[in-house]
Amino acid sequence: MILVVTTVYSQETEKGLKDYYSNYFSIGVAVSPRALQGAEADLIKKHFNSLTAENAMKMGPIHPEENKYNWDGADKIAAFAKENKMKLRGHTLCWHNQTPKWLFTDDQGKNVTKEVLLKRLKDHITTVVSRYKGTIYAWDVVNEAIEDAPDKFYRESLWYTICGEEYIAKAFEYAHEADPNALLFYNDYNTESSTKRENIYKLVKKLLEAGVPIHGVGLQGHWSVYGPNEAEVKASIDKFASLGLKVQITELDISIYQLEHSRRERRANEPDQFTPELEQKQIEQYKMAFKVFREKKNSLTGITFWNVSDKNTWLDNFPVQGRKNYPLLFDINFQPKKAYWEVVKF
Ligand code: HAH
């Protein structure tokens, strides 16, 4: 009897998150090259079957000077994915953050013309997408081009200021030319806000109608224990799926704080404890999210977490530098949290 119980138990613990969801969608994680060794690598191999580079493929890190690419980190991640037969998502080809210094200016420090900037975008996209052709199956081509404010539409980034809206369609065209088999995504956060959801929908619909090669929408999924709610999550998935596009949750985490989208200083006495109350709220939010994901499995092709465990998460430093967060399914010692066991119980 004891033997039977032990056997069942060890089978259960041998299974990883990806195995529970093998009939649903791939389960991914965003990593740094440093995470691909030791205990963290073991955790990644056990639970995930898809990888995204957290930073290594962004324009700043990978293309630091106009005539210099830095492939080290990106190549390491691509090699690890290949070795372990994991899928690989590319993130991201055109974004307003983490851009290299040289990108928007000429040698006098003045903004370049639209023609020059589009040429630079094309060179960048062609080089990066070609290098990982056949290895990266999906790219976040344009990231966060829509404004949060309900009364605005396009984000007033330097891309937009210099090129106007055209840079968005161009980015997709350049990527498609470099790898016609790659699935091309528009990716954004705060997609459960009704106005931002509507604006992203308008943008994507317009691109589709213009014949731009776009195949999917990435809902980042930087959520909180305080929201979004079930109806909002369902509405976003349904809305983008209704365009005939693939939908993925590309950057999932569930913060223990209220959502904020701008950096700020830490307030005096601002707490950063993962209390039992917050833990319980997080369990409920993760349960809700994965219940919806399972229900929507015909629309969803991938769920990716943004970082591996609570030991290190970008949310420890955003929006507040040095305020500890606990947004993932594995704790600071790489152990599955209670929320994990709820997510795999179905
Ligand atoms: C994401 N932005 C980015 O897509 C990802 O590349 C980065 O590593 C972390 C989060 C989310 C975001 C933001 O950049 C600014 C304000 C709010 C949310």
Side-chain angles (χ1 to χ4, degrees), residues 35 37-44 334:
Q37 45 193 324
E40 196 162 6
D42 294 339
L43 188 75
I44 293 168
F334 298 155

Side-chain angles (χ1 to χ4, degrees), residues 54-55 58 91-92 95-98 143-144 148 187 189 220 222 251 260-262 306 314 318:
E54 180 185 6
N55 292 302
K58 290 172 180 169
H91 177 84
T92 171
W95 189 31
H96 62 284
N97 274 334
Q98 292 182 258
N143 199 29
E144 305 176 350
D148 282 295
N187 193 52
Y189 67 90
Q220 289 185 5
H222 291 297
E251 306 187 18
E260 291 178 79
H261 302 301
S262 312
W306 210 244
W314 75 292
F318 187 88

